[in-house]
Amino acid sequence: MTIYDIAEKAGVSASTVSRVINGKPGIRDATRQKVLALLEEYHYSPNTAARGLATQSSHFIGILIEDIRVSHHTDAVWTIEQEMMRAGYTCITLSTGTTPEGKAQAIQILQQRAVDGVILIGSMFSLDCVRTSILKYLFNTPVVMINGQIDLLNVYSILIDEERGMEACTAAMLEKGCSHPVLLISTDTPSNRSKLEGFRSAIQKSGRTFDASCVFNTTADSMDPLAGMREADEMCGRILEEKPDTDCIICIDDILAVGVLHSLSRRGKSVPGDISVTGMDNTLYGRVSTPTLTSIDNKIEEAGITKTRRKSVPRCIQIPARTVLRVTG
Amino acid sequence: MTIYDIAEKAGVSASTVSRVINGKPGIRDATRQKVLALLEEYHYSPNTAARGLATQSSHFIGILIEDIRVSHHTDAVWTIEQEMMRAGYTCITLSTGTTPEGKAQAIQILQQRAVDGVILIGSMFSLDCVRTSILKYLFNTPVVMINGQIDLLNVYSILIDEERGMEACTAAMLEKGCSHPVLLISTDTPSNRSKLEGFRSAIQKSGRTFDASCVFNTTADSMDPLAGMREADEMCGRILEEKPDTDCIICIDDILAVGVLHSLSRRGKSVPGDISVTGMDNTLYGRVSTPTLTSIDNKIEEAGITKTRRKSVPRCIQIPARTVLRVTG
DNA sequence: CTGTTAGCGCATTCAC
DNA sequence: GTGAATGCGCTAACAG
């Protein structure tokens, strides 16, 4: 079913059909009704690729995440997708994997699909190779980075202030009476570095001296949540051994927190009676900080990816990380 | 950058450039090299929409799942996406939500995007409204259902034999010495019904009589894993109260299993010492049954969604659910 | 109000 | 070997 088939059956020209489809004015009502009926009868729906070719707008939005299996960012994808759909856009959500090549390839695919905009979710996209690829393939396409930053004119950032989020979280625990907090952190990422900084800052602002031995690192690949949990579980044992007076374990993310909780429960420790535990990231595993997704969503619109971005828009937007603490038990 | 721009710069015609791009033979090597160089220099990459228009093939594969935030099926999406990518296809993965309207809308979107094939993941797509939508919009497009079934000529099924999977799982527990198994099941879905049937069947085949009071239902919306966990947690308390001699809790899925584990650990019960617990579905939360994804993947190829499906292919393929049991502790 | 024409970017005959 | 012409399905001037 093409627009021409319908036109023929209706005894009008293709442009008339096109006008009806797009709700353009200046059509006699009788004609419109007739066409509308045919459209319905034949379940016609327009070929978006052809339309895109003609209008120079694919109505595609590309979303890049590292791994769809990791629930970390999947929440964001969901709301963005819903919102974009309401706006008439279709999302192409791609898992890039952790390698630079994977990311570069995904960016090229999006270019070939002529997406109208791109959303990069996660600090892991703040890479030089990503910058290069954008420059090569998407220099003309608005890009929004959630929790990442790249210095290019067409790249907008929405940053979640994780540093201050973690700082507030730690401060809250200290105020609550914890005197021997420990930070459980995973591999070195921009995001994790911010959180570490926030932790350190809170400690110092409270008048204590920051002791690096209070920071424990896990090494598991962030792509494998199960491994992360297990490692956190073991690490928790080490923490209790090396720092027996620990009364608060602050975890860089919720996966680690779950591992810690398992370990503590096995050891008969009560939470938060004996030890307080906090997580972060608001995934399925727990709900602690990060902004509400709707607020991210607003910001994306603000960044004008769907709009005809006429007015100048701030290149970078900070969202305060809400620190709705939850001492998981 | 269009094919014409490159052609002009190379002093050849567009068709020549096209031939080079597509590796067609019959081009003097010098010409080819020159064009290739320009292609590289200008980071040219073809507009897939235009190409699709010309070749009548979008090289898009549509994937429908109910909710990207639910890790249940997200594993399948990952491997399918990887595989399709290797084959030169781009996946449009859409979350349909639980409503019929959402599913119908997603199907129409895929039609408008002229996808070359569609993959429906989950038993929740075995709906009459889905059938209607496929008939309306995708009657000409090969559709593969994973763990679902719809009677249409262009719809292929890959079924995971959950009934036998659950039967084997239950039988294994009985053999292991459990004498008072309980089934914890969630809302009524085709998939859950099969599992219940498998449970019942194993009980009876072992010579016992099936007692319906051994089946406990949770009511939480399957879309909200957290709620599911919580409910399973509470339900576990009820189970221990009403059936104090329970020595094995078989959970319909891993989310419920996690809830049960939490509850047991809080009550000081040892797993599997006091009580054995099994989950199902091989999500992040645990790994128990279901086929390996690569085997699913093979089956999809077998169903010929990417191929020119010349030979007739079995309309329905059964995969035995592997019952790699893991008594979670 | 409606039809005609042209063009979006590419692949594919058919000539040369 | 290579170029010119045509069409994919649709929209957008431009006429009438």
Side-chain angles (χ1 to χ4, degrees):
Chain A
M1 268 304 124
T2 80
I3 203 174
Y4 280 94
D5 297 327
I6 301 288
E8 194 178 340
K9 291 180 202 299
V12 298
S13 81
S15 16
T16 300
V17 177
S18 172
R19 289 189 183 102
V20 171
I21 291 174
N22 296 299
K24 296 267 160 89
I27 299 269
R28 205 191 318 158
D29 207 54
T31 321
R32 169 166 319 219
Q33 293 312 326
K34 186 163 52 177
V35 172
L36 244 24
L38 267 334
L39 252 28
E40 176 58 31
E41 178 179 350
Y42 290 96
H43 308 310
Y44 171 86
S45 72
N47 181 321
T48 330
R51 173 182 285 177
L53 250 199
T55 60
Q56 299 288 60
S57 145
S58 65
H59 270 221
F60 269 131
I61 297 292
I63 302 180
L64 261 35
I65 51 181
E66 277 203 335
D67 190 332
I68 191 183
R69 296 169 301 181
V70 176
S71 52
H72 231 76
H73 298 125
T74 231
D75 284 4
V77 174
W78 163 271
T79 38
I80 292 171
E81 192 183 321
Q82 299 302 308
E83 206 54 41
M84 288 303 166
M85 196 144 159
R86 291 195 328 120
Y89 286 78
T90 302
C91 291
I92 301 183
T93 306
L94 263 31
S95 294
T96 65
T98 53
T99 66
E101 299 78 45
K103 296 189 172 68
Q105 190 187 3
I107 288 173
Q108 188 174 1
I109 289 178
L110 293 184
Q111 194 268 1
Q112 290 176 187
R113 295 300 183 171
V115 296
D116 292 342
V118 171
I119 300 176
L120 269 28
I121 303 182
S123 65
M124 320 300 284
F125 287 97
S126 308
L127 256 44
D128 221 56
C129 71
V130 172
R131 194 190 127 94
T132 307
S133 287
I134 292 179
L135 214 44
K136 251 167 111 170
Y137 298 113
L138 298 176
F139 55 89
N140 231 340
T141 311
V143 175
V144 171
M145 300 190 69
I146 296 184
N147 223 7
Q149 221 168 352
I150 283 181
D151 183 39
L152 285 175
L153 280 167
N154 60 321
V155 178
Y156 302 81
S157 282
I158 296 174
L159 297 177
I160 297 155
D161 192 342
E162 296 175 306
E163 179 173 338
R164 254 184 298 175
M166 177 56 90
E167 183 181 318
C169 170
T170 307
M173 298 315 286
L174 294 176
E175 253 173 56
K176 249 192 80 212
C178 298
S179 50
H180 296 282
V182 153
L183 180 69
L184 185 55
I185 198 168
S186 57
T187 49
D188 187 42
T189 66
S191 162
N192 280 351
R193 234 166 299 160
S194 299
K195 291 179 183 172
L196 172 57
E197 202 37 62
F199 178 74
R200 184 208 311 265
S201 160
I203 301 277
Q204 291 172 339
K205 283 189 183 168
S206 78
R208 291 158 231 253
T209 54
F210 173 72
D211 173 9
S213 73
C214 282
V215 178
F216 289 77
N217 285 277
T218 67
T219 57
D221 181 3
S222 67
M223 287 305 96
D224 186 353
L226 224 58
M229 278 175 53
R230 293 222 180 89
E231 210 184 340
D233 191 325
E234 294 163 22
M235 193 63 78
C236 181
R238 258 191 48 200
I239 290 174
L240 296 180
E241 245 175 62
E242 297 185 16
K243 302 256 171 200
D245 45 2
T246 297
D247 54 5
C248 169
I249 302 181
I250 294 176
C251 304
I252 213 86
D253 67 38
D254 293 330
I255 297 182
L256 297 185
V258 171
V260 167
L261 288 175
H262 276 189
S263 172
L264 291 177
S265 112
R266 213 178 36 246
R267 290 162 206 281
K269 298 274 187 190
S270 90
V271 178
D274 300 332
I275 294 189
S276 295
V277 178
T278 75
M280 222 180 168
D281 272 348
N282 196 19
T283 62
L284 158 63
Y285 312 100
R287 304 180 179 283
V288 178
S289 79
T290 66
T292 53
L293 284 163
T294 54
S295 86
I296 285 195
D297 203 60
N298 293 337
K299 299 303 180 187
I300 288 177
E301 277 201 53
E302 212 170 290
I305 206 166
T306 53
K307 305 178 189 170
T308 349
R309 58 200 183 299
R310 294 157 293 193
K311 343 178 203 174
S312 77
V313 141
R315 282 279 314 291
C316 177
I317 297 164
Q318 279 254 0
I319 299 184
R322 284 201 308 157
T323 35
V324 183
L325 293 181
R326 202 186 59 158
V327 185
T328 334
Chain B
M1 268 305 125
T2 79
I3 203 175
Y4 281 95
D5 298 327
I6 301 289
E8 193 178 341
K9 291 179 202 300
V12 299
S13 81
S15 10
T16 300
V17 176
S18 173
R19 290 190 183 101
V20 171
I21 291 174
N22 296 299
K24 296 267 158 91
I27 299 269
R28 206 189 318 158
D29 207 54
T31 322
R32 169 167 319 224
Q33 294 310 325
K34 185 162 53 175
V35 172
L36 244 24
L38 266 336
L39 252 28
E40 175 59 30
E41 178 179 352
Y42 289 96
H43 308 310
Y44 171 86
S45 70
N47 180 323
T48 329
R51 173 182 285 180
L53 250 198
T55 60
Q56 299 290 61
S57 144
S58 64
H59 269 220
F60 269 131
I61 297 290
I63 302 180
L64 260 34
I65 51 180
E66 277 203 335
D67 191 330
I68 192 183
R69 296 170 300 182
V70 176
S71 52
H72 231 76
H73 299 125
T74 233
D75 284 4
V77 175
W78 164 272
T79 38
I80 292 171
E81 191 183 322
Q82 299 303 306
E83 207 54 41
M84 288 303 166
M85 196 145 159
R86 292 195 328 121
Y89 287 78
T90 302
C91 290
I92 301 183
T93 306
L94 262 28
S95 294
T96 65
T98 52
T99 66
E101 299 78 45
K103 296 189 172 68
Q105 189 187 4
I107 288 174
Q108 188 174 2
I109 289 179
L110 293 184
Q111 194 267 3
Q112 291 176 186
R113 296 300 182 171
V115 296
D116 292 343
V118 171
I119 300 176
L120 268 28
I121 303 182
S123 65
M124 320 300 283
F125 286 97
S126 307
L127 256 42
D128 219 57
C129 71
V130 172
R131 194 190 128 94
T132 307
S133 287
I134 292 180
L135 214 45
K136 252 167 111 170
Y137 298 113
L138 297 175
F139 55 89
N140 233 339
T141 311
V143 175
V144 170
M145 300 190 69
I146 295 184
N147 222 8
Q149 220 168 353
I150 283 181
D151 182 41
L152 284 176
L153 281 166
N154 59 320
V155 177
Y156 303 81
S157 281
I158 296 174
L159 297 177
I160 296 153
D161 192 342
E162 295 175 307
E163 179 174 336
R164 254 184 298 175
M166 177 55 89
E167 183 181 317
C169 170
T170 307
M173 297 316 285
L174 294 176
E175 253 174 57
K176 251 192 79 214
C178 297
S179 50
H180 295 282
V182 153
L183 180 68
L184 185 55
I185 198 168
S186 56
T187 50
D188 186 44
T189 66
S191 163
N192 280 351
R193 233 166 300 161
S194 300
K195 291 180 183 170
L196 171 56
E197 202 38 60
F199 177 74
R200 183 207 313 263
S201 159
I203 300 277
Q204 291 172 341
K205 282 189 183 165
S206 78
R208 291 158 233 252
T209 53
F210 172 72
D211 173 9
S213 72
C214 283
V215 178
F216 289 76
N217 284 278
T218 67
T219 57
D221 181 4
S222 68
M223 288 303 97
D224 185 353
L226 223 59
M229 278 175 54
R230 292 222 181 91
E231 212 184 339
D233 191 324
E234 295 163 22
M235 194 64 77
C236 181
R238 257 189 50 196
I239 291 175
L240 295 181
E241 245 175 63
E242 298 184 15
K243 302 254 171 202
D245 45 2
T246 296
D247 54 4
C248 169
I249 301 181
I250 294 176
C251 304
I252 212 84
D253 68 38
D254 293 329
I255 296 182
L256 298 185
V258 171
V260 166
L261 289 173
H262 276 189
S263 172
L264 291 176
S265 112
R266 212 176 39 244
R267 289 162 207 279
K269 298 274 186 189
S270 90
V271 178
D274 301 330
I275 294 189
S276 296
V277 178
T278 74
M280 222 181 166
D281 272 348
N282 199 19
T283 62
L284 156 63
Y285 310 99
R287 305 181 180 281
V288 178
S289 78
T290 67
T292 53
L293 284 163
T294 54
S295 84
I296 284 196
D297 204 58
N298 293 338
K299 298 304 177 185
I300 287 178
E301 276 202 55
E302 212 170 291
I305 208 166
T306 54
K307 305 177 188 170
T308 350
R309 59 198 183 302
R310 295 157 293 191
K311 342 180 203 174
S312 76
V313 140
R315 284 278 314 289
C316 177
I317 297 164
Q318 278 254 1
I319 299 183
R322 284 202 308 159
T323 34
V324 183
L325 292 181
R326 202 187 58 161
V327 185
T328 335

